[in-house]
Amino acid sequence: MAWLDSCLTFALTTLPNKSVKGTRRPLAVLKLRFYQGSAASFKLSERRAPYRNVMHKVDKPLKFSQFGSDNGPIVVYFHGAPGAPEECSIFDLEGKNHGLTFICLDRLSVDPSINGEAYYKLLAAEISRITSGKQVDVVGFSIGAFIALQTIRYMTNGIGSLHLVSAAAPLETGNYLEAMAGKQVFELAKAAPALFILLSYWQGLLAWLSPNALFRLLFASAAGEDKALAANREFRAGITKVLKACFIGRVRGYARDIGLYVRPWKTSLAEVSVNTHIWHGAEDNWSPPLMAEYLKSAIPGCTSTKIFNGLSHYSCLYQAAPEICNLLSKALRSNGTLLSSRPSSLR
């Protein structure tokens, strides 16, 4: 594929022509060893730190990040892929303004041996543990919307509402790939999973060596208002941080999410009866608008769909965030939740 060829050429031209200090082996030879560890392990050549692994162990609580209010009703955010809990910071200010507490699991750190339904069950169990079994609202962005749709099937304590932002629909339900910026990635994940993982490891190396180059590569085909976002220094800094958190030490977790997404899963949508809201950009070339149309028709609980003219993938998320918070706040106030049902400390 031409796109993959350009990626490999880009990789060779961006790798420094030097050896790791204290060894006679070039950096490219050592990269797979680094990829198996955490973000800290990528600094071995600088700090001589001991090898550490960031993968979440089954017998330990899964870490999460918290944004917004310290003690408001809980909203669980499922970040995209690529993505990281830091992505949820977009809801921090609006969460505080509306008295909402947003949490985002570090799900890519879950051991890669945990896959499929066991993975979704683990995420549901961790959410129940963190929130002490309380009912929550859920927001899923991009591929994170897919993970959210699978996870809520096991959230027995109930969901107040589900918000799907720039959501990716099942690939088997339409001819979406031709219009998707990630076409080659998804095709590779379907046809050659091992090669896809190698490509993901290369992205991890690039995230370590030249995160700005990885940003430029991923946003080269930005459409709609995403073009303006890509030129914004604050946005670039935030997304670069997210990309590093995703690809440095969590490659296998990222690959698991993509691998699950490219499998058939449309039949699971019939189980989604929760009050669902769809938010999508009319110019989205990561998750084409036809995906929003399909999800609207396939989810029994879908009550509203809002398409933003001129917006694409991330610009839709930025526009939808305050509207989602406003909608949640109104719903919670109408049933007295904001006033009478503040949660205990998150665990």
Side-chain angles (χ1 to χ4, degrees), residues 96-117:
K96 291 175 180 176
N97 291 340
H98 291 279
L100 302 170
T101 298
F102 282 81
I103 65 169
C104 185
L105 299 180
D106 185 14
R107 72 172 192 267
L108 300 188
S109 70
V110 173
D111 193 295
S113 65
I114 303 172
N115 211 334
E117 300 303 314

Side-chain angles (χ1 to χ4, degrees), residues 13-31:
T13 57
T14 54
L15 286 176
N17 184 22
K18 63 182 180 180
S19 297
V20 175
K21 185 177 180 181
T23 78
R24 293 184 179 181
R25 287 168 288 182
L27 181 60
V29 174
L30 295 177
K31 64 183 179 181

